[in-house]
Amino acid sequence: MGENGILKHVYRKDIESIEGKDMEESQFKKAELEDKEIISHYFKHHTSRSCERTFVNVFLWSRQYPVKWAVIEGALVFKSQNDSHLSYAFPAGEDEAVKNALEEMMEFSRRAGFPFRMYNVTPSDFERLEQWYPGRFQVEYDRDQADYVYESEKLITLSGKKLHGKRNHINKFKNLYEGRWSYEPIRRENLEECFQMALKWRKDNGCDEDEEKNAEMCVTLNALRLFEELELKGGLLRVDGQIVAFTLGEPICSDTFVVHIEKAFAEVPGAYTMINQQFAEHECREYQYINREEDTGSEGLRKAKLSYRPAFMVEKGTVAEKER
């Protein structure tokens, strides 16, 4: 079934509201659970290793940011707009559909009185843009938004001199909590315990006084509430029967798994290192790579992510028209 066929299969009654040639504000809507099939269809057939290219990411973060979606000219388009800005993610779709959608996006920006801009544009996205519009656009990559991608085997075995310190953390944890720790996958029966652990983590880390931390915790709590509906995978770590760490993620393409959320109690030495390794070992073996998302410019987070020796980064930047 082609993409237009999928659209009609999923949205027989209101196809007119999400698909069109002349791009209008009324076509765009906030992502809801009912949109999972169609958005996931586009991401599955037009893959990327960028952590944003999953329905889970779109759905959870659209509660925090003014992002809406529509199908324009047969391509999936995300638009972020408020009174002061308008920008788009690079469309997902076949080349012809994407190019036609880009024309509509540029025209919509012109009518709205904003310069044309795109965000989370990868090098391969920009390469396509350059083929269609040689020399017309410029891209500025943002190091803070680049995803860290690791070889799953390395995160499981922590082999080699460069990861010697990580192995020491694991061994210290196992010795300290010998006979007292366990790992288990997240399932319906332990979801509420994870939720309560997350609430305690939020309180311990002063999330209510920090806008960014609070937004992240809202995403975390919603991910746990809708764990089954979003078809997430998760794992947790217990010490003396109590949850001290958990993580959530999903496959992003055939060879890459993305970890969206990871929380551990800082007072439990090695808990972060241990949940990272255990989750990779138990849930990610079938994937060659694990994307652990960006560091958002946090110095501490950057140091921690670099210490695991990423195989490569997924660069992302903003695109604008060159000044004439």
Side-chain angles (χ1 to χ4, degrees), residues 193-211:
E193 286 182 272
C194 290
F195 196 85
Q196 294 303 317
M197 182 270 184
L199 290 177
K200 185 176 187 308
W201 193 98
R202 180 174 69 174
K203 182 179 178 182
D204 292 349
N205 287 271
C207 295
D208 291 340
E209 291 77 45
D210 185 306
E211 189 175 346

Side-chain angles (χ1 to χ4, degrees), residues 254-286:
S254 61
D255 68 357
T256 306
F257 190 96
V258 58
V259 174
H260 290 305
I261 294 163
E262 186 176 84
K263 292 287 176 279
F265 288 140
E267 64 268 23
V268 180
Y272 271 111
T273 310
M274 194 66 177
I275 189 61
N276 184 334
Q277 186 276 329
Q278 287 287 296
F279 186 70
E281 179 177 349
H282 291 282
E283 316 300 339
C284 304
R285 276 192 176 277
E286 64 187 280

Side-chain angles (χ1 to χ4, degrees), residues 4 45 67 91 119 125 130 143 153 169 199 216 259 288:
N4 285 338
H45 288 84
V67 176
Y119 59 92
D125 294 335
E130 272 291 282
R143 175 64 178 79
E153 187 63 25
H169 285 305
L199 290 177
E216 185 185 343
V259 174
Q288 184 177 358

Side-chain angles (χ1 to χ4, degrees), residues 152-180:
S152 59
E153 187 63 25
K154 286 286 187 181
L155 292 189
I156 293 168
T157 64
L158 299 174
S159 60
K161 285 184 178 180
K162 293 178 179 179
L163 294 174
H164 176 73
K166 302 300 181 187
R167 293 198 301 278
N168 284 345
H169 285 305
I170 294 289
N171 292 332
K172 183 177 179 180
F173 180 94
K174 289 180 175 179
N175 289 332
L176 186 60
Y177 299 109
E178 186 176 2
R180 299 164 55 194

Side-chain angles (χ1 to χ4, degrees), residues 137-156:
F137 296 97
Q138 60 188 10
V139 63
E140 183 176 345
Y141 293 107
D142 184 351
R143 175 64 178 79
D144 295 352
Q145 300 304 315
D147 292 347
Y148 292 75
V149 182
Y150 306 85
E151 293 180 31
S152 59
E153 187 63 25
K154 286 286 187 181
L155 292 189
I156 293 168

Side-chain angles (χ1 to χ4, degrees), residues 173-174 176-197 235-247 263-265 268-272 274-275 278-279:
F173 180 94
K174 289 180 175 179
L176 186 60
Y177 299 109
E178 186 176 2
R180 299 164 55 194
W181 73 274
S182 61
Y183 169 88
E184 63 191 65
I186 294 178
R187 50 187 181 269
R188 182 180 302 180
E189 293 76 16
N190 54 32
L191 269 172
E192 179 59 28
E193 286 182 272
C194 290
F195 196 85
Q196 294 303 317
M197 182 270 184
L236 63 84
L237 195 64
R238 293 184 188 273
V239 171
D240 296 333
Q242 301 300 308
I243 296 176
V244 297
F246 70 86
T247 190
K263 292 287 176 279
F265 288 140
V268 180
Y272 271 111
M274 194 66 177
I275 189 61
Q278 287 287 296
F279 186 70

